[in-house]
Amino acid sequence: MGVDKNDSYGESSSDDVEAPLLLPSVRGGTAKGDRPAAAAARVRALLAHKYPAIVAGPTACAAVCALVDLGEGHVEARNMLGVLAWVFIWWVTGAVPLAVASMAPLFLFPVFGISSADVVAKAYMDDIISLVLGSFILALAIEHYNIHRRLALNITSLFCGDPVRPSLLLLGITGTTMFVSMWIHNTACTVMMMPVATGILQRLPRVGGGIDDDGGVGGQEVRRFSKALVLGVVYASAIGGMATLTGTGVNIILVGMWSSYFPEQKPITFSSWMSFGLPMALIVFLALWVTLCLMYCSKNTGKALSAYLDRSHLRRELSLLGPMAFAEKMVLAVFGGLIVLWMTRNLTDDIPGWGALFHNKVGDGTVTIMMATLLFIIPSGKREGEKLMDWNKCKKIQWSIILLLGAGFAIADGFKTSGLTDILSEGLRFLKGASTLVIVPVACVFSGIITEVTSDDSTTTLVLPLFAELAKSIEVHPALLMVSGAIGAQLSYLLPTGSPSNVVGFSTGYITIKDLVTTGLPLKIVALASLTVLLPTLGPAIFGMDSKS
């Protein structure tokens, strides 16, 4: 979900640049021979400070405003397109930190007359943002008390087998990763789970950039299994995020834009999305496991691994964690209680959830913040006066992602109020009257191509407003286009820069670009086919697709 493609944590590296912009002057001038070197140094300094990329944003905006003519009465739409070019270039190039680029609409929208300062500011804080903020706090508590690691080691030791069964070990690692990613952001999940995978691989022989076994067949088997394990963690974290609203920022953006554009439609809640997302995720996960087993495991893999890996390694790591303390149990209790509250707030039309007790004015973000607050109240049981969480532990909250989500909601409002979506949707009017078997894959592929070159959240922010207005103009239910676009934005499986999870996996040195492409392409195809079948079949019950938009 939802961070800068060039930086796993969504922060630009420009803050760390120490290259001086102005070179110290030399008394008496600069010798002719030194002038080219000085000029080159100045150019390097400009590039190090990313000033060309910084200037490119406003330059693109000015070019759009000066050269693009959308017709009479569409000045605001033209300005919106220019602002979008500005923000998009800063997002993609990392000219400024992601959080700073995401705050740009706060001053650009009022300056260009797109919306007032109050309106754009309100987009940066609503129930959806509360959901993300509370989820981040809970994820930090889980990480702080090593609960995720305890869970991973328990499950993987169960699946390891004696002797080692590679397919079951892959199932244990990837299954655990998928489960964890359902409840916390998929990038955070990858960062948490990758050390578990590489911890297992450290027991395997590795020399330089690859596995070495005196040239024997066993070395090749171990090398291929190492690729499978790293790829499994990378893709399972993305697949798990698809299953729930909290797993990735894409789903959060979808829900926010859905309620903004179509308040009259059946709302997408945590439980209703899971009814659709979980079956979809399970199908893609099964495809992942089968693909890894077929491509990277053979009948000799288990024998090759047994020489280096057994259950005792995992159990030894688990024993080092010691018994579960009071603090860990309480964090799990709070987390489990939150999941129950999420799932039961709204049930069915005939059986109302607990939200009806509060006249349905309580949102998913409401209960998330409430349960996160308990972490600052319940004692940890370690030191007198210490609570489960304090604000110092929350310094790692990814504010850049929260601001990015706010920017997404602001841009969605800007698309709608400026009339830009009406103009852009004209280009996809050929879908009018088309079958759902055409509309769904076209929308998914359109979004899936863009997401390989920019962040999942940025892709969602760009395409969902377009699809929302397109659904109105071609008179189809908005879920056909918006859900397809959101799922497509999560299928960034092919390139190292496709998502922060891909970067984390690629940085281990176990996988190559070819591995990502050959493994990710079948997964994208399976996901596309699954969406084409599931959305028309489950959609009427979950999204109310039997009614027109």
Side-chain angles (χ1 to χ4, degrees):
M1 151 258 84
V3 292
D4 192 341
K5 297 278 184 175
N6 300 319
D7 187 333
S8 299
Y9 300 96
E11 299 296 336
S12 171
S13 60
S14 58
D15 295 336
D16 301 324
V17 174
E18 298 180 357
L21 180 58
L22 300 177
L23 299 177
S25 58
V26 179
R27 184 179 300 178
T30 304
K32 288 185 178 181
D34 294 336
R35 287 175 183 174
R42 287 183 181 276
V43 171
R44 287 195 299 270
L46 287 170
L47 293 176
H49 285 276
K50 299 188 177 181
Y51 284 123
I54 292 172
V55 173
T59 301
C61 178
V64 169
C65 292
L67 302 176
V68 174
D69 183 11
L70 298 179
E72 187 177 353
H74 292 299
V75 175
E76 290 183 355
R78 182 205 62 195
N79 291 349
M80 180 65 205
L81 192 62
V83 168
L84 185 64
W86 183 332
V87 176
F88 184 74
I89 287 175
W90 275 9
W91 272 341
V92 172
T93 62
V96 296
L98 180 65
V100 176
S102 299
M103 289 191 292
L106 287 169
F107 68 87
L108 291 177
F109 279 25
V111 167
F112 283 87
I114 297 169
S115 62
S116 67
D118 286 339
V119 170
V120 68
K122 288 176 181 177
Y124 280 77
M125 195 57 175
D126 61 13
D127 185 64
I128 302 301
I129 302 295
S130 301
L131 172 64
V132 176
L133 179 58
S135 298
F136 279 168
I137 294 174
L138 283 159
L140 288 175
I142 290 172
E143 180 182 9
H144 178 73
Y145 292 105
N146 278 319
I147 295 173
H148 64 288
R149 187 170 180 81
R150 187 183 297 275
L151 173 67
L153 290 172
N154 271 299
I155 293 181
T156 50
S157 63
L158 177 66
F159 282 90
C160 183
D162 191 11
V164 177
R165 298 179 64 182
S167 59
L168 280 180
L169 182 55
L170 280 174
L171 181 63
I173 288 287
T174 55
T176 303
T177 303
M178 177 187 170
F179 179 77
V180 172
S181 183
M182 287 171 60
W183 312 109
I184 64 175
H185 194 277
N186 48 25
T187 302
C189 174
T190 308
V191 173
M192 291 177 182
M193 291 300 299
M194 193 59 72
V196 177
T198 54
I200 294 174
L201 297 181
Q202 284 173 1
R203 293 185 60 85
L204 307 179
R206 189 183 189 199
V207 176
I211 305 295
D212 182 81
D213 186 319
D214 298 327
V217 177
Q220 292 296 323
E221 298 292 344
V222 169
R223 180 178 61 83
R224 292 170 63 199
F225 179 79
S226 301
K227 290 177 179 288
L229 203 58
V230 172
L231 289 168
V233 170
V234 169
Y235 289 131
S237 64
I239 294 168
M242 191 186 299
T244 64
L245 291 184
T246 54
T248 175
V250 171
N251 295 341
I252 298 293
I253 296 173
L254 169 64
V255 174
M257 291 191 181
W258 180 270
S259 61
S260 175
Y261 278 97
F262 306 102
E264 75 284 358
Q265 290 287 348
K266 189 175 181 180
I268 301 177
T269 64
F270 189 95
S271 57
S272 66
W273 176 262
M274 194 170 181
S275 301
F276 173 78
L278 184 58
M280 176 87 186
L282 289 175
I283 292 173
V284 182
F285 175 76
L286 179 62
L288 169 66
W289 183 56
V290 171
T291 300
L292 293 177
C293 290
L294 291 177
M295 293 181 62
Y296 299 99
C297 298
S298 70
K299 60 181 181 180
N300 296 321
T301 303
K303 182 179 179 181
L305 293 177
S306 296
Y308 310 104
L309 181 65
D310 55 40
R311 231 178 233 172
S312 61
H313 168 63
L314 299 171
R315 288 175 175 170
R316 186 161 52 252
E317 285 196 37
L318 186 59
S319 65
L320 292 176
L321 294 177
M324 186 174 287
F326 172 80
E328 295 175 68
K329 294 176 181 177
M330 293 309 300
V331 170
L332 278 178
V334 171
F335 192 62
L338 176 59
I339 293 174
V340 172
L341 291 174
W342 276 339
M343 299 296 295
T344 58
R345 184 171 68 87
N346 289 308
L347 297 176
T348 66
D349 294 334
D350 298 326
I351 307 175
W354 61 264
L357 298 174
F358 301 93
H359 310 288
N360 291 317
K361 292 184 177 180
V362 176
D364 288 330
T366 308
V367 295
T368 307
I369 293 296
M370 181 185 72
M371 299 302 284
T373 302
L374 291 179
L375 298 176
F376 297 87
I377 298 174
I378 300 173
S380 67
K382 292 185 176 181
R383 286 183 290 272
E384 186 175 355
E386 184 182 69
K387 306 299 193 296
L388 292 175
M389 289 289 285
D390 58 60
W391 196 247
N392 285 330
K393 296 187 181 78
C394 295
K395 290 180 179 178
K396 293 169 63 178
I397 288 177
Q398 299 180 32
W399 293 106
S400 58
I401 295 178
I402 293 173
L403 290 170
L404 177 61
L405 293 173
F409 296 151
I411 289 173
D413 290 341
F415 264 74
K416 185 166 56 175
T417 57
S418 68
L420 181 59
T421 46
D422 295 329
I423 298 171
L424 294 177
S425 62
E426 292 293 327
L428 291 173
R429 279 187 177 273
F430 70 90
L431 291 175
K432 187 171 184 177
S435 166
T436 57
L437 296 178
V438 175
I439 294 175
V440 170
V442 166
C444 185
V445 169
F446 179 79
S447 182
I449 292 174
I450 297 175
T451 197
E452 294 293 351
V453 295
T454 187
S455 74
D456 301 352
D457 292 346
S458 300
T459 299
T460 311
T461 300
L462 291 172
V463 303
L464 288 196
L466 171 62
F467 285 157
E469 293 299 330
L470 179 63
K472 296 177 182 178
S473 64
I474 67 176
E475 299 179 347
V476 299
H477 194 278
L480 285 176
L481 288 164
M482 295 186 72
V483 174
S484 300
I487 293 295
Q490 299 177 59
L491 305 181
S492 50
Y493 295 163
L494 302 183
L495 299 175
T497 54
S499 73
S501 296
N502 294 5
V503 174
V504 173
F506 193 75
S507 65
T508 64
Y510 284 98
I511 59 176
T512 64
I513 296 177
K514 181 181 178 181
D515 298 324
L516 287 169
V517 173
T518 56
T519 309
L521 190 58
L523 296 181
K524 291 193 82 157
I525 294 172
V526 170
L528 179 63
S530 302
L531 179 67
T532 306
V533 174
L534 289 177
L535 190 52
T537 53
L538 295 179
I542 298 173
F543 305 111
M545 282 169 48
D546 43 348
S547 62
K548 290 286 184 183
S549 60

mmCIF file with all atom_site columns, all heavy atoms in Angstrom, residues 317-330:
data_model
loop_
_atom_site.group_PDB
_atom_site.id
_atom_site.type_symbol
_atom_site.label_atom_id
_atom_site.label_alt_id
_atom_site.label_comp_id
_atom_site.label_asym_id
_atom_site.label_entity_id
_atom_site.label_seq_id
_atom_site.pdbx_PDB_ins_code
_atom_site.Cartn_x
_atom_site.Cartn_y
_atom_site.Cartn_z
_atom_site.occupancy
_atom_site.B_iso_or_equiv
_atom_site.pdbx_formal_charge
_atom_site.auth_seq_id
_atom_site.auth_comp_id
_atom_site.auth_asym_id
_atom_site.auth_atom_id
_atom_site.pdbx_PDB_model_num
ATOM 1   N N   . GLU A 1 317 ? 14.896 -20.775 17.872 1.00 0.00 ? 317 GLU A N   1
ATOM 2   C CA  . GLU A 1 317 ? 14.566 -19.352 17.805 1.00 0.00 ? 317 GLU A CA  1
ATOM 3   C C   . GLU A 1 317 ? 13.342 -19.043 18.646 1.00 0.00 ? 317 GLU A C   1
ATOM 4   O O   . GLU A 1 317 ? 13.273 -18.012 19.321 1.00 0.00 ? 317 GLU A O   1
ATOM 5   C CB  . GLU A 1 317 ? 14.318 -18.938 16.353 1.00 0.00 ? 317 GLU A CB  1
ATOM 6   C CG  . GLU A 1 317 ? 15.574 -18.804 15.519 1.00 0.00 ? 317 GLU A CG  1
ATOM 7   C CD  . GLU A 1 317 ? 15.309 -18.042 14.238 1.00 0.00 ? 317 GLU A CD  1
ATOM 8   O OE1 . GLU A 1 317 ? 14.509 -17.088 14.254 1.00 0.00 ? 317 GLU A OE1 1
ATOM 9   O OE2 . GLU A 1 317 ? 15.892 -18.415 13.213 1.00 0.00 ? 317 GLU A OE2 1
ATOM 10  N N   . LEU A 1 318 ? 12.360 -19.937 18.610 1.00 0.00 ? 318 LEU A N   1
ATOM 11  C CA  . LEU A 1 318 ? 11.132 -19.722 19.376 1.00 0.00 ? 318 LEU A CA  1
ATOM 12  C C   . LEU A 1 318 ? 11.422 -19.747 20.879 1.00 0.00 ? 318 LEU A C   1
ATOM 13  O O   . LEU A 1 318 ? 10.866 -18.954 21.645 1.00 0.00 ? 318 LEU A O   1
ATOM 14  C CB  . LEU A 1 318 ? 10.101 -20.790 19.012 1.00 0.00 ? 318 LEU A CB  1
ATOM 15  C CG  . LEU A 1 318 ? 8.709  -20.650 19.618 1.00 0.00 ? 318 LEU A CG  1
ATOM 16  C CD1 . LEU A 1 318 ? 8.073  -19.325 19.211 1.00 0.00 ? 318 LEU A CD1 1
ATOM 17  C CD2 . LEU A 1 318 ? 7.819  -21.811 19.180 1.00 0.00 ? 318 LEU A CD2 1
ATOM 18  N N   . SER A 1 319 ? 12.300 -20.660 21.302 1.00 0.00 ? 319 SER A N   1
ATOM 19  C CA  . SER A 1 319 ? 12.619 -20.756 22.725 1.00 0.00 ? 319 SER A CA  1
ATOM 20  C C   . SER A 1 319 ? 13.331 -19.504 23.229 1.00 0.00 ? 319 SER A C   1
ATOM 21  O O   . SER A 1 319 ? 13.201 -19.132 24.399 1.00 0.00 ? 319 SER A O   1
ATOM 22  C CB  . SER A 1 319 ? 13.485 -21.994 22.986 1.00 0.00 ? 319 SER A CB  1
ATOM 23  O OG  . SER A 1 319 ? 14.750 -21.864 22.346 1.00 0.00 ? 319 SER A OG  1
ATOM 24  N N   . LEU A 1 320 ? 14.085 -18.837 22.356 1.00 0.00 ? 320 LEU A N   1
ATOM 25  C CA  . LEU A 1 320 ? 14.779 -17.622 22.754 1.00 0.00 ? 320 LEU A CA  1
ATOM 26  C C   . LEU A 1 320 ? 13.809 -16.491 23.083 1.00 0.00 ? 320 LEU A C   1
ATOM 27  O O   . LEU A 1 320 ? 14.149 -15.572 23.833 1.00 0.00 ? 320 LEU A O   1
ATOM 28  C CB  . LEU A 1 320 ? 15.729 -17.173 21.631 1.00 0.00 ? 320 LEU A CB  1
ATOM 29  C CG  . LEU A 1 320 ? 16.939 -18.076 21.355 1.00 0.00 ? 320 LEU A CG  1
ATOM 30  C CD1 . LEU A 1 320 ? 17.722 -17.571 20.159 1.00 0.00 ? 320 LEU A CD1 1
ATOM 31  C CD2 . LEU A 1 320 ? 17.836 -18.153 22.593 1.00 0.00 ? 320 LEU A CD2 1
ATOM 32  N N   . LEU A 1 321 ? 12.594 -16.547 22.504 1.00 0.00 ? 321 LEU A N   1
ATOM 33  C CA  . LEU A 1 321 ? 11.593 -15.522 22.803 1.00 0.00 ? 321 LEU A CA  1
ATOM 34  C C   . LEU A 1 321 ? 11.008 -15.692 24.196 1.00 0.00 ? 321 LEU A C   1
ATOM 35  O O   . LEU A 1 321 ? 10.465 -14.740 24.761 1.00 0.00 ? 321 LEU A O   1
ATOM 36  C CB  . LEU A 1 321 ? 10.466 -15.561 21.760 1.00 0.00 ? 321 LEU A CB  1
ATOM 37  C CG  . LEU A 1 321 ? 10.850 -15.189 20.322 1.00 0.00 ? 321 LEU A CG  1
ATOM 38  C CD1 . LEU A 1 321 ? 9.645  -15.337 19.409 1.00 0.00 ? 321 LEU A CD1 1
ATOM 39  C CD2 . LEU A 1 321 ? 11.395 -13.769 20.252 1.00 0.00 ? 321 LEU A CD2 1
ATOM 40  N N   . GLY A 1 322 ? 11.105 -16.901 24.747 1.00 0.00 ? 322 GLY A N   1
ATOM 41  C CA  . GLY A 1 322 ? 10.565 -17.151 26.079 1.00 0.00 ? 322 GLY A CA  1
ATOM 42  C C   . GLY A 1 322 ? 9.049  -17.271 26.068 1.00 0.00 ? 322 GLY A C   1
ATOM 43  O O   . GLY A 1 322 ? 8.407  -17.173 25.014 1.00 0.00 ? 322 GLY A O   1
ATOM 44  N N   . PRO A 1 323 ? 8.435  -17.491 27.234 1.00 0.00 ? 323 PRO A N   1
ATOM 45  C CA  . PRO A 1 323 ? 6.971  -17.602 27.303 1.00 0.00 ? 323 PRO A CA  1
ATOM 46  C C   . PRO A 1 323 ? 6.309  -16.258 27.017 1.00 0.00 ? 323 PRO A C   1
ATOM 47  O O   . PRO A 1 323 ? 6.912  -15.197 27.188 1.00 0.00 ? 323 PRO A O   1
ATOM 48  C CB  . PRO A 1 323 ? 6.720  -18.050 28.748 1.00 0.00 ? 323 PRO A CB  1
ATOM 49  C CG  . PRO A 1 323 ? 7.910  -17.555 29.512 1.00 0.00 ? 323 PRO A CG  1
ATOM 50  C CD  . PRO A 1 323 ? 9.070  -17.634 28.558 1.00 0.00 ? 323 PRO A CD  1
ATOM 51  N N   . MET A 1 324 ? 5.057  -16.303 26.588 1.00 0.00 ? 324 MET A N   1
ATOM 52  C CA  . MET A 1 324 ? 4.320  -15.091 26.269 1.00 0.00 ? 324 MET A CA  1
ATOM 53  C C   . MET A 1 324 ? 4.039  -14.303 27.547 1.00 0.00 ? 324 MET A C   1
ATOM 54  O O   . MET A 1 324 ? 3.484  -14.820 28.508 1.00 0.00 ? 324 MET A O   1
ATOM 55  C CB  . MET A 1 324 ? 3.007  -15.439 25.558 1.00 0.00 ? 324 MET A CB  1
ATOM 56  C CG  . MET A 1 324 ? 2.256  -14.211 25.054 1.00 0.00 ? 324 MET A CG  1
ATOM 57  S SD  . MET A 1 324 ? 0.800  -14.638 24.055 1.00 0.00 ? 324 MET A SD  1
ATOM 58  C CE  . MET A 1 324 ? 1.612  -15.211 22.570 1.00 0.00 ? 324 MET A CE  1
ATOM 59  N N   . ALA A 1 325 ? 4.427  -13.047 27.561 1.00 0.00 ? 325 ALA A N   1
ATOM 60  C CA  . ALA A 1 325 ? 4.262  -12.187 28.735 1.00 0.00 ? 325 ALA A CA  1
ATOM 61  C C   . ALA A 1 325 ? 2.862  -11.584 28.770 1.00 0.00 ? 325 ALA A C   1
ATOM 62  O O   . ALA A 1 325 ? 2.108  -11.655 27.795 1.00 0.00 ? 325 ALA A O   1
ATOM 63  C CB  . ALA A 1 325 ? 5.316  -11.086 28.735 1.00 0.00 ? 325 ALA A CB  1
ATOM 64  N N   . PHE A 1 326 ? 2.550  -10.946 29.906 1.00 0.00 ? 326 PHE A N   1
ATOM 65  C CA  . PHE A 1 326 ? 1.246  -10.310 30.077 1.00 0.00 ? 326 PHE A CA  1
ATOM 66  C C   . PHE A 1 326 ? 0.992  -9.254  29.002 1.00 0.00 ? 326 PHE A C   1
ATOM 67  O O   . PHE A 1 326 ? -0.109 -9.157  28.451 1.00 0.00 ? 326 PHE A O   1
ATOM 68  C CB  . PHE A 1 326 ? 1.172  -9.674  31.475 1.00 0.00 ? 326 PHE A CB  1
ATOM 69  C CG  . PHE A 1 326 ? -0.043 -8.826  31.695 1.00 0.00 ? 326 PHE A CG  1
ATOM 70  C CD1 . PHE A 1 326 ? -1.269 -9.401  32.006 1.00 0.00 ? 326 PHE A CD1 1
ATOM 71  C CD2 . PHE A 1 326 ? 0.032  -7.438  31.593 1.00 0.00 ? 326 PHE A CD2 1
ATOM 72  C CE1 . PHE A 1 326 ? -2.392 -8.602  32.207 1.00 0.00 ? 326 PHE A CE1 1
ATOM 73  C CE2 . PHE A 1 326 ? -1.086 -6.641  31.794 1.00 0.00 ? 326 PHE A CE2 1
ATOM 74  C CZ  . PHE A 1 326 ? -2.303 -7.235  32.102 1.00 0.00 ? 326 PHE A CZ  1
ATOM 75  N N   . ALA A 1 327 ? 2.021  -8.473  28.689 1.00 0.00 ? 327 ALA A N   1
ATOM 76  C CA  . ALA A 1 327 ? 1.858  -7.404  27.706 1.00 0.00 ? 327 ALA A CA  1
ATOM 77  C C   . ALA A 1 327 ? 1.479  -7.968  26.339 1.00 0.00 ? 327 ALA A C   1
ATOM 78  O O   . ALA A 1 327 ? 0.594  -7.428  25.653 1.00 0.00 ? 327 ALA A O   1
ATOM 79  C CB  . ALA A 1 327 ? 3.147  -6.587  27.600 1.00 0.00 ? 327 ALA A CB  1
ATOM 80  N N   . GLU A 1 328 ? 2.130  -9.051  25.932 1.00 0.00 ? 328 GLU A N   1
ATOM 81  C CA  . GLU A 1 328 ? 1.815  -9.657  24.646 1.00 0.00 ? 328 GLU A CA  1
ATOM 82  C C   . GLU A 1 328 ? 0.385  -10.165 24.614 1.00 0.00 ? 328 GLU A C   1
ATOM 83  O O   . GLU A 1 328 ? -0.338 -10.003 23.623 1.00 0.00 ? 328 GLU A O   1
ATOM 84  C CB  . GLU A 1 328 ? 2.782  -10.807 24.365 1.00 0.00 ? 328 GLU A CB  1
ATOM 85  C CG  . GLU A 1 328 ? 4.220  -10.362 24.199 1.00 0.00 ? 328 GLU A CG  1
ATOM 86  C CD  . GLU A 1 328 ? 5.156  -11.552 24.035 1.00 0.00 ? 328 GLU A CD  1
ATOM 87  O OE1 . GLU A 1 328 ? 5.070  -12.228 23.008 1.00 0.00 ? 328 GLU A OE1 1
ATOM 88  O OE2 . GLU A 1 328 ? 5.949  -11.812 24.957 1.00 0.00 ? 328 GLU A OE2 1
ATOM 89  N N   . LYS A 1 329 ? -0.034 -10.786 25.710 1.00 0.00 ? 329 LYS A N   1
ATOM 90  C CA  . LYS A 1 329 ? -1.401 -11.307 25.772 1.00 0.00 ? 329 LYS A CA  1
ATOM 91  C C   . LYS A 1 329 ? -2.425 -10.187 25.678 1.00 0.00 ? 329 LYS A C   1
ATOM 92  O O   . LYS A 1 329 ? -3.459 -10.330 25.013 1.00 0.00 ? 329 LYS A O   1
ATOM 93  C CB  . LYS A 1 329 ? -1.592 -12.098 27.069 1.00 0.00 ? 329 LYS A CB  1
ATOM 94  C CG  . LYS A 1 329 ? -0.751 -13.367 27.162 1.00 0.00 ? 329 LYS A CG  1
ATOM 95  C CD  . LYS A 1 329 ? -0.928 -14.053 28.514 1.00 0.00 ? 329 LYS A CD  1
ATOM 96  C CE  . LYS A 1 329 ? -0.062 -15.295 28.616 1.00 0.00 ? 329 LYS A CE  1
ATOM 97  N NZ  . LYS A 1 329 ? -0.169 -15.943 29.957 1.00 0.00 ? 329 LYS A NZ  1
ATOM 98  N N   . MET A 1 330 ? -2.140 -9.062  26.317 1.00 0.00 ? 330 MET A N   1
ATOM 99  C CA  . MET A 1 330 ? -3.092 -7.953  26.286 1.00 0.00 ? 330 MET A CA  1
ATOM 100 C C   . MET A 1 330 ? -3.153 -7.310  24.902 1.00 0.00 ? 330 MET A C   1
ATOM 101 O O   . MET A 1 330 ? -4.229 -6.925  24.431 1.00 0.00 ? 330 MET A O   1
ATOM 102 C CB  . MET A 1 330 ? -2.716 -6.910  27.341 1.00 0.00 ? 330 MET A CB  1
ATOM 103 C CG  . MET A 1 330 ? -2.868 -7.389  28.783 1.00 0.00 ? 330 MET A CG  1
ATOM 104 S SD  . MET A 1 330 ? -4.496 -8.118  29.117 1.00 0.00 ? 330 MET A SD  1
ATOM 105 C CE  . MET A 1 330 ? -5.582 -6.744  28.742 1.00 0.00 ? 330 MET A CE  1
#
